[in-house]
Structure formats: structure tokens, C-alpha cells
Amino acid sequence: MITATNVKQQIFSLEDYMQNPPEHTEWVNGQLIEKNGMTFKHSVTQSRLDYFWRSYVRSIEQGGEVVTEAACRTNKQGRRPDIAYITREMIEQYGEFEVLPQSFPLIAEIASPTDTVEDFFAKAKEYLDSGCQEVWLILPENKLIFVITESQKLCFGAGEVVSTQVMLPGFSVAVDELLG
């Protein structure tokens, strides 16, 4: 059955999304997709990493901003990473934007129950192919964090310390502290 919502999704273009992205949505494969499936654990993890990255950026006086659920464009889609870091230089280049016209340089995605493993890792590749330099894929239920760059794929688990590889040099946090 075609509803008004379905029709809207079918005619909402990537250009429309870039101009006025509806809250809590991504533009994927030609359709608006509502981001859902956020659990309490997902929300806590997002809040903690946002705090840790933001505090670190301020402590090293590097500039830039840490944001949550901010829209960006990849080569194919309109996305809203759970957490992202944007450099001072990119803020100066793009100013205040509705949708960043490329991937953020550092992105973290937190797995929710609705995510499939293949889609989760495909999203990391999509970000990297679109200007991102480092992606953190976080699986709170399994206490695992994958850090992926163009040249490496690392996995950190309980009892280990995860660190950035390209962006925010020197940042690290215990997996247990982040995923409690």
C-alpha cells in the first residue's frame, strides 16, 4: 500500500536532503530512512564518547567541534553519524551548513539492534571513500571497537585501551570506561 509517507520518500532527492535534511533521517539508496533502534546502552555510549572526544579537543586546543547526529553527504548517500569530529579548517571552509558536503574526518557509529554487520562495515567504507580519515565502529553489547582507516583495521576489546590512529593524535580511552 502506498501512503503519503512512502510517496514522500520516493520523490525526496539527495539534493532535497542536502537543502533541508529532516531530523533523525538519512538518505539511503534513494529513500529517506528514519534512524531508529537507539537503545539506552547506545545512547550512553554516544554521550560518553562525545564527552571524551570533546574534552580532548578542548584540552589540546586543536580547535574544531565534536557533534552528534549532524548530517553529511557521502559519495552516494546523506548520513547522520552518531558522533563526528570536524576540524577548525573545515568549519572555516564550510561555515554553518545544513549538511556537510563530504564525510566528517573522524566518525563513530554505534551498533544498534537493527544494524546488520554487513551494513555496519559498508557504512565505514562509504565514509572512508567520501573524505573520512578514521571510522570507529562500536559494538556496545560485545564490548568491541573497530578503528578503521584507509591503511588499517584494528579491533579493541574489554581490558584494552582504544586510541585514535589519524585524527586527534594522542587520544585514548579504556574500552571498559567507554562501554562500561
Side-chain angles (χ1 to χ4, degrees):
M1 173 153 90
I2 296 178
T3 65
T5 303
N6 291 342
V7 171
K8 181 180 176 185
Q9 287 180 347
Q10 291 173 356
I11 62 171
F12 201 89
S13 70
L14 181 56
E15 290 72 31
D16 293 333
Y17 186 85
M18 292 292 294
Q19 294 298 317
N20 188 20
E23 287 189 37
H24 311 294
T25 63
E26 292 185 329
W27 192 87
V28 180
N29 299 325
Q31 293 187 356
L32 279 180
I33 305 296
E34 186 174 353
K35 284 190 74 172
N36 56 25
M38 184 181 279
T39 63
F40 176 74
K41 189 169 246 177
H42 183 286
S43 182
V44 168
T45 301
Q46 182 181 31
S47 179
R48 285 180 184 169
L49 187 56
D50 173 54
Y51 171 78
F52 290 138
W53 280 0
R54 184 180 311 277
S55 297
Y56 187 75
V57 167
R58 288 192 176 138
S59 75
I60 63 170
E61 299 178 4
Q62 179 169 317
E65 289 291 336
V66 177
V67 295
T68 58
E69 305 289 333
C72 70
R73 180 181 179 157
T74 67
N75 292 338
K76 301 176 182 179
Q77 321 285 5
R79 297 287 190 182
R80 285 187 187 272
D82 291 320
I83 308 144
Y85 168 71
I86 183 171
T87 64
R88 175 189 329 223
E89 295 79 18
M90 288 179 78
I91 293 171
E92 290 170 2
Q93 179 181 356
Y94 295 112
E96 293 207 13
F97 51 85
E98 284 293 319
V99 180
L100 184 65
Q102 68 177 67
S103 289
F104 291 93
L106 174 62
I107 289 173
E109 287 286 355
I110 303 162
S112 63
T114 58
D115 289 324
T116 67
V117 173
E118 284 187 13
D119 289 343
F120 202 50
F121 280 91
K123 193 183 283 190
K125 182 176 180 348
E126 181 184 328
Y127 287 137
L128 291 169
D129 290 345
S130 304
C132 184
Q133 296 179 41
E134 181 173 345
V135 179
W136 286 32
L137 298 178
I138 302 170
L139 290 85
E141 294 296 329
N142 300 98
K143 294 196 177 190
L144 291 173
I145 301 173
F146 293 89
V147 178
I148 304 170
T149 68
E150 284 294 329
S151 62
Q152 62 186 348
K153 294 167 187 66
L154 304 170
C155 182
F156 300 87
E160 296 181 310
V161 174
V162 61
S163 57
T164 50
Q165 302 301 302
V166 177
M167 299 303 302
L168 303 181
F171 173 82
S172 63
V173 63
V175 172
D176 296 332
E177 186 175 3
L178 178 60
L179 301 180

